[in-house]
Amino acid sequence: MKKIAIIFRHAPHGSAKGREGLDFALLSATFEQEISLIFADEGVLNLVPQQTPEAIGAKDFLAAFKALPLYDIECVYACHQSLADYQLEESALAIPLEVKTPAEIAELLTQADEVFVY
Amino acid sequence: MILHIVQYSAAQDNALATSLRYIQPQDTLLLMGDGINSLLQRKWQATLSDTQVCLLEQDVVARGLQTRLGQYQQLSQAEFVQYTLTHAKVITW
């Protein structure tokens, strides 16, 4: 069993990175890996609520973020600096998570066995 | 001790800026491919002045930048592979 950290640093819809990252996270979780998700830089835009990507013909993978607890993925973090950069309030995010400072995130990356960036 | 790899230039993608937010003093930043181009800008030279930076030699040579980027440590392919082993893990941004 490995501790895998997955960093989301790209915004949704413009590329498939977010969807691929979430697919990887859920798949890894089904293989009993210990997963933590970290939203950083423009990746915090995955957390904006009430998105309707169908309006541009894009798949609504964001709904699946609500299923993280079902996959036993409890460690979900967002970078405090990134949220501030994009003027997002923690209370206004689509899913419950812990806001961490860059230094705390750096520590998380040190503790993880593997880190993947999407 | 983490090896952070960035393959995009700052003009193409925010990978460099994002990686720098989480890099620790003991970590190494390896720029390869177009990633090396950022170091041609004074702004990034200054930002990276106290970061352990190294470049992939073949990408520097391929772009004729040996003299311009001569002051930075260059890794051969073999040294690159060795770095991936001597560091606790690799993060490719």
mmCIF file of all heavy atoms in Angstrom, chain B residues 1-3 8 14 18 20 24 26 30 34 40 52 55 59 69 82 91:
data_model
loop_
_atom_site.group_PDB
_atom_site.id
_atom_site.type_symbol
_atom_site.label_atom_id
_atom_site.label_comp_id
_atom_site.label_asym_id
_atom_site.label_seq_id
_atom_site.Cartn_x
_atom_site.Cartn_y
_atom_site.Cartn_z
ATOM 1 N N MET B 1 14.698 14.992 0.326
ATOM 2 C CA MET B 1 15.337 15.590 -0.858
ATOM 3 C C MET B 1 14.600 15.156 -2.120
ATOM 4 O O MET B 1 14.637 13.994 -2.506
ATOM 5 C CB MET B 1 16.783 15.103 -0.925
ATOM 6 C CG MET B 1 17.748 16.145 -1.414
ATOM 7 S SD MET B 1 19.444 15.559 -1.222
ATOM 8 C CE MET B 1 19.479 14.246 -2.399
ATOM 9 N N ILE B 2 13.863 16.083 -2.734
ATOM 10 C CA ILE B 2 13.027 15.756 -3.885
ATOM 11 C C ILE B 2 13.627 16.347 -5.157
ATOM 12 O O ILE B 2 14.162 17.455 -5.153
ATOM 13 C CB ILE B 2 11.597 16.315 -3.675
ATOM 14 C CG1 ILE B 2 10.943 15.643 -2.451
ATOM 15 C CG2 ILE B 2 10.741 16.141 -4.913
ATOM 16 C CD1 ILE B 2 9.581 16.187 -2.093
ATOM 17 N N LEU B 3 13.549 15.585 -6.256
ATOM 18 C CA LEU B 3 13.968 16.100 -7.562
ATOM 19 C C LEU B 3 12.719 16.602 -8.283
ATOM 20 O O LEU B 3 11.823 15.815 -8.595
ATOM 21 C CB LEU B 3 14.652 14.991 -8.365
ATOM 22 C CG LEU B 3 15.124 15.370 -9.778
ATOM 23 C CD1 LEU B 3 16.219 16.446 -9.711
ATOM 24 C CD2 LEU B 3 15.658 14.140 -10.519
ATOM 25 N N TYR B 8 8.440 22.628 -19.103
ATOM 26 C CA TYR B 8 7.780 23.704 -19.862
ATOM 27 C C TYR B 8 8.495 25.011 -19.563
ATOM 28 O O TYR B 8 8.918 25.254 -18.431
ATOM 29 C CB TYR B 8 6.317 23.849 -19.431
ATOM 30 C CG TYR B 8 5.500 22.603 -19.527
ATOM 31 C CD1 TYR B 8 5.223 21.837 -18.390
ATOM 32 C CD2 TYR B 8 5.000 22.156 -20.750
ATOM 33 C CE1 TYR B 8 4.466 20.681 -18.469
ATOM 34 C CE2 TYR B 8 4.246 21.008 -20.838
ATOM 35 C CZ TYR B 8 3.983 20.271 -19.687
ATOM 36 O OH TYR B 8 3.233 19.122 -19.759
ATOM 37 N N ASN B 14 2.500 27.303 -16.308
ATOM 38 C CA ASN B 14 2.854 27.832 -14.984
ATOM 39 C C ASN B 14 3.580 26.803 -14.116
ATOM 40 O O ASN B 14 3.703 26.988 -12.916
ATOM 41 C CB ASN B 14 1.571 28.296 -14.282
ATOM 42 C CG ASN B 14 1.867 29.474 -13.373
ATOM 43 O OD1 ASN B 14 2.717 30.303 -13.658
ATOM 44 N ND2 ASN B 14 1.197 29.518 -12.231
ATOM 45 N N THR B 18 4.646 27.220 -10.144
ATOM 46 C CA THR B 18 3.943 26.372 -9.174
ATOM 47 C C THR B 18 4.923 25.498 -8.405
ATOM 48 O O THR B 18 4.835 25.384 -7.181
ATOM 49 C CB THR B 18 2.915 25.483 -9.912
ATOM 50 O OG1 THR B 18 2.037 26.308 -10.666
ATOM 51 C CG2 THR B 18 2.118 24.661 -8.934
ATOM 52 N N LEU B 20 7.972 26.093 -7.707
ATOM 53 C CA LEU B 20 8.790 26.885 -6.786
ATOM 54 C C LEU B 20 8.067 27.186 -5.485
ATOM 55 O O LEU B 20 8.680 27.392 -4.439
ATOM 56 C CB LEU B 20 9.206 28.194 -7.464
ATOM 57 C CG LEU B 20 10.211 28.035 -8.591
ATOM 58 C CD1 LEU B 20 10.499 29.381 -9.237
ATOM 59 C CD2 LEU B 20 11.499 27.399 -8.087
ATOM 60 N N GLN B 24 11.669 22.822 -1.491
ATOM 61 C CA GLN B 24 12.340 23.094 -0.215
ATOM 62 C C GLN B 24 13.832 23.287 -0.474
ATOM 63 O O GLN B 24 14.348 22.811 -1.490
ATOM 64 C CB GLN B 24 12.092 21.925 0.756
ATOM 65 C CG GLN B 24 10.600 21.797 1.109
ATOM 66 C CD GLN B 24 10.314 20.688 2.102
ATOM 67 O OE1 GLN B 24 10.868 19.596 1.970
ATOM 68 N NE2 GLN B 24 9.468 20.980 3.086
ATOM 69 N N GLN B 26 16.511 21.936 0.379
ATOM 70 C CA GLN B 26 17.367 20.763 0.098
ATOM 71 C C GLN B 26 16.989 20.070 -1.213
ATOM 72 O O GLN B 26 17.665 19.143 -1.646
ATOM 73 C CB GLN B 26 17.287 19.754 1.261
ATOM 74 C CG GLN B 26 15.968 19.051 1.414
ATOM 75 C CD GLN B 26 14.952 19.857 2.239
ATOM 76 O OE1 GLN B 26 15.119 21.062 2.410
ATOM 77 N NE2 GLN B 26 13.908 19.197 2.726
ATOM 78 N N LEU B 30 15.292 20.406 -11.679
ATOM 79 C CA LEU B 30 15.922 20.043 -12.957
ATOM 80 C C LEU B 30 15.053 20.578 -14.087
ATOM 81 O O LEU B 30 13.879 20.202 -14.210
ATOM 82 C CB LEU B 30 16.062 18.515 -13.074
ATOM 83 C CG LEU B 30 16.472 17.958 -14.432
ATOM 84 C CD1 LEU B 30 17.814 18.554 -14.894
ATOM 85 C CD2 LEU B 30 16.560 16.434 -14.391
ATOM 86 N N ASP B 34 12.006 22.514 -23.136
ATOM 87 C CA ASP B 34 11.811 23.969 -23.209
ATOM 88 C C ASP B 34 11.944 24.615 -21.827
ATOM 89 O O ASP B 34 12.074 25.835 -21.725
ATOM 90 C CB ASP B 34 10.436 24.299 -23.792
ATOM 91 C CG ASP B 34 10.373 24.035 -25.300
ATOM 92 O OD1 ASP B 34 11.460 24.015 -25.914
ATOM 93 O OD2 ASP B 34 9.271 23.822 -25.831
ATOM 94 N N LEU B 40 16.894 32.030 -19.446
ATOM 95 C CA LEU B 40 17.461 33.082 -20.298
ATOM 96 C C LEU B 40 16.908 34.443 -19.905
ATOM 97 O O LEU B 40 17.433 35.484 -20.304
ATOM 98 C CB LEU B 40 17.116 32.805 -21.769
ATOM 99 C CG LEU B 40 17.740 31.546 -22.360
ATOM 100 C CD1 LEU B 40 17.156 31.250 -23.733
ATOM 101 C CD2 LEU B 40 19.254 31.690 -22.437
ATOM 102 N N GLN B 52 18.676 25.151 -5.920
ATOM 103 C CA GLN B 52 19.640 24.235 -6.560
ATOM 104 C C GLN B 52 19.066 23.855 -7.933
ATOM 105 O O GLN B 52 18.160 23.030 -8.016
ATOM 106 C CB GLN B 52 19.807 22.986 -5.691
ATOM 107 C CG GLN B 52 20.553 23.258 -4.384
ATOM 108 C CD GLN B 52 20.609 22.018 -3.498
ATOM 109 O OE1 GLN B 52 21.125 20.977 -3.906
ATOM 110 N NE2 GLN B 52 20.052 22.133 -2.306
ATOM 111 N N LEU B 55 20.386 21.660 -15.360
ATOM 112 C CA LEU B 55 19.751 21.577 -16.664
ATOM 113 C C LEU B 55 20.158 20.273 -17.327
ATOM 114 O O LEU B 55 21.224 19.728 -17.031
ATOM 115 C CB LEU B 55 20.224 22.742 -17.551
ATOM 116 C CG LEU B 55 20.167 24.136 -16.925
ATOM 117 C CD1 LEU B 55 20.768 25.160 -17.880
ATOM 118 C CD2 LEU B 55 18.738 24.493 -16.592
ATOM 119 N N ASP B 59 19.565 19.129 -23.921
ATOM 120 C CA ASP B 59 18.578 20.139 -24.333
ATOM 121 C C ASP B 59 19.236 21.512 -24.474
ATOM 122 O O ASP B 59 18.818 22.314 -25.300
ATOM 123 C CB ASP B 59 17.434 20.198 -23.309
ATOM 124 C CG ASP B 59 16.601 18.925 -23.373
ATOM 125 O OD1 ASP B 59 16.428 18.390 -24.493
ATOM 126 O OD2 ASP B 59 16.153 18.451 -22.321
ATOM 127 N N LEU B 69 23.992 29.650 -21.011
ATOM 128 C CA LEU B 69 23.571 29.002 -19.752
ATOM 129 C C LEU B 69 24.738 28.263 -19.105
ATOM 130 O O LEU B 69 24.541 27.361 -18.304
ATOM 131 C CB LEU B 69 22.396 28.045 -20.029
ATOM 132 C CG LEU B 69 21.118 28.699 -20.541
ATOM 133 C CD1 LEU B 69 20.069 27.638 -20.868
ATOM 134 C CD2 LEU B 69 20.571 29.683 -19.517
ATOM 135 N N GLN B 82 21.078 9.033 -12.438
ATOM 136 C CA GLN B 82 21.644 8.889 -11.104
ATOM 137 C C GLN B 82 20.914 9.813 -10.126
ATOM 138 O O GLN B 82 20.585 9.429 -9.010
ATOM 139 C CB GLN B 82 23.136 9.239 -11.178
ATOM 140 C CG GLN B 82 24.008 8.447 -10.235
ATOM 141 C CD GLN B 82 25.029 9.355 -9.567
ATOM 142 O OE1 GLN B 82 25.418 10.365 -10.147
ATOM 143 N NE2 GLN B 82 25.417 9.019 -8.354
ATOM 144 N N ILE B 91 9.283 14.502 -8.710
ATOM 145 C CA ILE B 91 7.983 15.084 -9.036
ATOM 146 C C ILE B 91 8.104 15.774 -10.385
ATOM 147 O O ILE B 91 8.925 16.690 -10.526
ATOM 148 C CB ILE B 91 7.525 16.103 -7.968
ATOM 149 C CG1 ILE B 91 7.433 15.434 -6.597
ATOM 150 C CG2 ILE B 91 6.187 16.727 -8.366
ATOM 151 C CD1 ILE B 91 7.004 16.375 -5.477
#
